[in-house]
Amino acid sequence: ILFLKSEDLKEDPAGVLRRVYKFLELSPVSDEKLLQIVSRRHINEQSFLHNADNGDKFKMLPSTRGLLTKFYKPFNQKLAQLLGDDRFLWDDVHHSKRGERT
């Protein structure tokens, strides 16, 4: 099983795709083809959430984020331990006062 973090995909989409291709034992993709793939418009792009017309109605309340963080913490700890990868603790994801990732 290959576990991926969406943060890694956002930061290095070509690198993540290379990992996926390797994991699936597919032939490597050229840099040109990878650039084509990662340059496509993303349908679920979060820019919709930050559209001025949408205002704050799609932003998570800090109290909700705190509740979810507390609830999922033991599960994230088990996952990180199982995978041997502390990145799955999500301690490196910081949030502003308004609950957005920074």
Side-chain angles (χ1 to χ4, degrees):
I1 297 175
L2 176 64
F3 289 91
L4 302 169
K5 287 183 69 179
S6 59
E7 293 88 351
D8 293 342
L9 181 61
K10 185 175 182 178
E11 184 178 313
D12 182 17
V16 170
L17 283 175
R18 281 189 188 95
R19 285 182 56 203
V20 170
Y21 272 71
K22 183 177 180 178
F23 176 79
L24 296 173
E25 299 179 355
L26 298 172
S27 300
V29 178
S30 69
D31 289 340
E32 182 181 335
K33 186 65 175 175
L34 278 175
L35 181 60
Q36 242 182 350
I37 293 169
V38 300
S39 297
R40 290 183 181 162
R41 183 177 175 273
H42 303 126
I43 294 171
N44 66 343
E45 190 70 42
Q46 293 231 351
S47 60
F48 171 78
L49 301 178
H50 303 291
N51 184 321
D53 295 335
N54 294 325
D56 288 338
K57 67 181 176 181
F58 293 108
K59 294 189 176 132
M60 186 180 299
L61 295 172
S63 58
T64 303
R65 182 169 308 284
L67 179 75
L68 291 170
T69 299
K70 183 178 178 181
F71 177 82
Y72 283 106
K73 185 173 185 165
F75 303 106
N76 290 340
Q77 288 172 333
K78 287 180 183 178
L79 178 63
Q81 182 181 11
L82 178 69
L83 298 175
D85 190 342
D86 284 346
R87 294 177 313 133
F88 286 91
L89 293 171
W90 278 275
D91 290 334
D92 60 333
V93 178
H94 304 285
H95 305 279
S96 69
K97 291 179 187 171
R98 298 177 72 189
E100 299 170 311
R101 287 187 175 170
T102 57

